[in-house]
Amino acid sequence: MPSKRTTLPLAAAAVAVAAVLIFVVAKEPHYNVRPGAQSGNAHCGRMTENAPAKLAGHPKHATKLAGVALWGDSNIVLRCGVAGIGPTSDPCFSADGVDWVIDTARSTDTQKVITTYGRTPATEVTVTHASKTPDEVLGELSALITPIAQTSQCIRSQ
């Protein structure tokens, strides 16, 4: 039977380790972010691997979630492999050759949810008021998206 001298320090160490793990999990920037259904697609792996180390002044955080890249405290979240968008009346614009649609049902004054249009797998970017406007952030991310073939457009070139 272990003595009280060894049991008490072991119990204290176990509590300390548990407290650190809870703190780390609670502080993870990907907390409450789910990967897209097609996040295992090779395009998604390439995209997250080549995502910029800094975006809109926010550092990129490492995550083990497939097809997900995060900057800041989830100020900017990229999720590759989400469901594509069909015809919609939501606002659409182009940033550096990539068509994007603003999901008006999920966006607010302080957060915009924007999804690529006409590319499979689709990519969703959520921007919570960053130092740059969402279209500037998307301009920086468009180079990651362009290798995915565009099959339809929501904005016609003039």
Side-chain angles (χ1 to χ4, degrees):
M1 182 165 140
S3 72
K4 285 186 179 183
R5 273 193 225 180
T6 59
T7 305
L8 189 56
L10 287 174
V15 169
V17 168
V20 168
L21 287 174
I22 289 170
F23 177 77
V24 168
V25 169
K27 296 300 274 181
E28 278 293 309
H30 64 268
Y31 185 72
N32 220 11
V33 174
R34 292 185 205 155
Q38 298 176 17
S39 61
N41 183 290
H43 285 294
C44 296
R46 177 199 44 79
M47 189 180 301
T48 55
E49 194 173 293
N50 295 320
K54 216 169 190 189
L55 187 60
H58 300 287
K60 181 181 173 193
H61 290 284
T63 179
K64 293 181 179 156
L65 299 173
V68 174
L70 301 156
W71 292 267
D73 291 327
S74 297
N75 299 80
I76 304 167
V77 178
L78 177 146
R79 294 176 54 229
C80 178
V82 299
I85 296 175
T88 180
S89 59
D90 282 343
C92 178
F93 63 96
S94 183
D96 291 339
V98 176
D99 289 351
W100 298 89
V101 175
I102 298 172
D103 185 335
T104 56
R106 294 175 42 213
S107 294
T108 66
D109 288 340
T110 59
Q111 178 176 289
K112 299 298 179 213
V113 180
I114 309 158
T115 306
T116 56
Y117 186 89
R119 295 174 193 263
T120 303
T123 301
E124 175 186 277
V125 176
T126 302
V127 179
T128 304
H129 275 298
S131 58
K132 293 185 177 186
T133 61
D135 56 330
E136 289 175 301
V137 168
L138 298 177
E140 291 186 48
L141 294 176
S142 289
L144 298 173
I145 309 294
T146 53
I148 301 172
Q150 184 168 0
T151 58
S152 60
Q153 296 178 314
C154 64
I155 295 180
R156 301 279 179 214
S157 299
Q158 300 293 349

